[in-house]
Amino acid sequence: MQVKKEKEKSGESSSSSSLSAVSDLVGSLDEQRLYREVTLALRTGLRDARSDFSFLRLHGLRNILKFMRSVASNDSTINLFAHTQSIPSLQVVPVLFQHSLHECEDQIVNNLDHIFSVHPLKIKSPSTDAEVSLALRVLEGCCLLHKESTLFAHQFKAIQVLMNILATRGALEQGACLDALISLMLDSSINQTDFEECNGIEEVALLIGDKQADENLRMKCGEFLLLLIGHVNGREGAPMAAVHEDIRRLLGEKSASLIWAASQFGSTLDPEQRLTALHIQARRVLESLDLY
């Protein structure tokens, strides 16, 4: 009887081990399948994003952004995406700055050698407003999902590039630019330093203070200042430790005090409530500026 019981226990243990091995195998296969899907989606999107033609780059950026939104819903896929960004051929940020966010120089013909040569002159179509805006959204997503992307962006002088977009492009790109700037500077002292050296606060203050500017853009500037102050306030020795004083100098005591107080909102709110509160506080900031 005792021998029979020991055999049954041994059989149960063997069965349990077999089930565990099968489960591990299935899990490993699922992870490999998911990794193949992630890398395939990136390779396909990046192939188009490297194109010489703007309409193809736009198509590639749309696919990358769609892919990143699906990635953001799951911790395991976020980790897979982060792993892919250690592989040069799959890195997204360099492609953005080498193509969509790259300022195309005028195609000046210095000589006519290309006419008599068998090699045609290579022409790259400039980035459209929609392409620049979409590239900025992809950049924002990369920095939020993968912190090292902020360092990749710094290597391409991202803050200087984005400040130029903010100063020269339309409202569509400017709004996306402000969102991307926040993601670039989040916990990145090196990008915060670049922003300060570019007189970034002055540029944003000019936009929010311009009553003839697009109202939605001014609202976005208000949200930007609230998020910026809320993030860097009180950090002694931080690159932007004096940002509150800069805003006080540029926008006045009343508006600066309102921005400082309003920036402390929402620590206990859920994401949707926090976003609503951000819109409300940004509206109050605009109203305080428009009173004068």
Side-chain angles (χ1 to χ4, degrees):
M1 189 69 175
Q2 181 69 25
V3 173
K4 182 178 180 181
K5 289 183 178 179
E6 289 179 355
K7 286 183 177 179
E8 288 176 350
K9 288 182 180 179
S10 176
E12 290 175 359
S13 176
S14 176
S15 176
S16 176
S17 297
S18 298
L19 287 174
S20 178
V22 171
S23 178
D24 290 343
L25 177 61
V26 170
S28 176
L29 291 174
D30 283 343
E31 186 174 350
Q32 291 177 29
R33 175 187 56 77
L34 188 58
Y35 184 74
R36 286 195 298 270
E37 290 176 357
V38 166
T39 55
L40 178 61
L42 273 177
R43 289 186 192 281
T44 303
L46 289 172
R47 180 195 61 204
D48 288 342
R50 293 186 181 99
S51 173
D52 289 334
F53 303 101
S54 182
F55 75 93
L56 278 178
R57 295 196 299 269
L58 193 61
H59 181 264
L61 291 172
R62 285 198 185 103
N63 287 336
I64 293 174
L65 187 60
K66 182 180 179 181
F67 156 75
M68 291 177 66
R69 284 172 175 164
S70 67
V71 162
S73 62
N74 188 291
D75 288 341
S76 63
T77 51
I78 290 175
N79 291 334
L80 281 177
F81 173 73
H83 175 70
T84 63
Q85 294 311 287
S86 64
I87 303 172
S89 63
L90 296 178
Q91 289 173 353
V92 177
V93 169
V95 174
L96 298 177
F97 285 96
Q98 290 167 350
H99 298 275
S100 296
L101 300 178
H102 175 69
E103 285 293 330
C104 292
E105 298 178 359
D106 293 332
Q107 301 272 353
I108 300 175
V109 179
N110 295 318
N111 57 64
L112 301 180
D113 289 347
H114 68 282
I115 295 178
F116 307 104
S117 171
V118 295
H119 302 292
L121 180 66
K122 185 175 182 179
I123 296 177
K124 183 173 183 177
S125 61
S127 301
T128 63
D129 294 347
E131 181 186 340
V132 171
S133 176
L134 199 55
L136 290 168
R137 295 297 178 195
V138 172
L139 174 63
E140 177 189 3
C142 283
C143 294
L144 293 176
L145 293 174
H146 178 243
K147 292 302 179 186
E148 285 74 14
S149 285
T150 61
L151 296 177
F152 294 160
H154 171 73
Q155 295 171 7
F156 290 91
K157 299 183 179 180
I159 297 296
Q160 292 93 320
V161 172
L162 266 62
M163 292 309 302
N164 183 56
I165 291 173
L166 193 64
T168 60
R169 289 279 188 167
L172 179 68
E173 304 95 289
Q174 289 172 316
C177 190
L178 290 167
D179 289 335
L181 280 169
I182 285 291
S183 66
L184 278 170
M185 290 189 287
L186 195 63
D187 297 324
S188 175
S189 59
I190 194 167
N191 284 326
Q192 290 178 19
T193 298
D194 287 348
F195 183 74
E196 192 169 39
E197 291 176 352
C198 289
N199 299 316
I201 289 295
E202 284 85 345
E203 293 295 330
V204 177
L206 283 173
L207 283 175
I208 196 174
D210 184 2
K211 297 179 183 180
Q212 304 302 316
D214 180 83
E215 186 173 354
N216 290 329
L217 177 61
R218 295 183 69 210
M219 277 282 289
K220 183 68 73 173
C221 289
E223 293 171 5
F224 174 87
L225 293 175
L226 289 166
L227 291 170
L228 190 65
I229 287 286
H231 180 65
V232 304
N233 181 62
R235 299 190 177 188
E236 294 296 332
M240 300 182 65
V243 63
H244 182 60
E245 292 302 320
D246 292 337
I247 292 176
R248 187 195 307 274
R249 171 174 54 84
L250 293 164
L251 300 180
E253 174 68 34
K254 185 171 182 177
S255 295
S257 297
L258 176 60
I259 290 172
W260 181 86
S263 68
Q264 310 306 307
F265 73 93
S267 59
T268 60
L269 301 177
D270 63 42
E272 186 173 343
Q273 291 174 325
R274 193 177 298 121
L275 186 61
T276 300
L278 179 64
H279 292 331
I280 293 171
Q281 300 296 358
R283 171 61 61 189
R284 290 175 179 170
V285 170
L286 280 194
E287 290 173 351
S288 73
L289 289 169
D290 291 344
L291 288 175
Y292 302 95

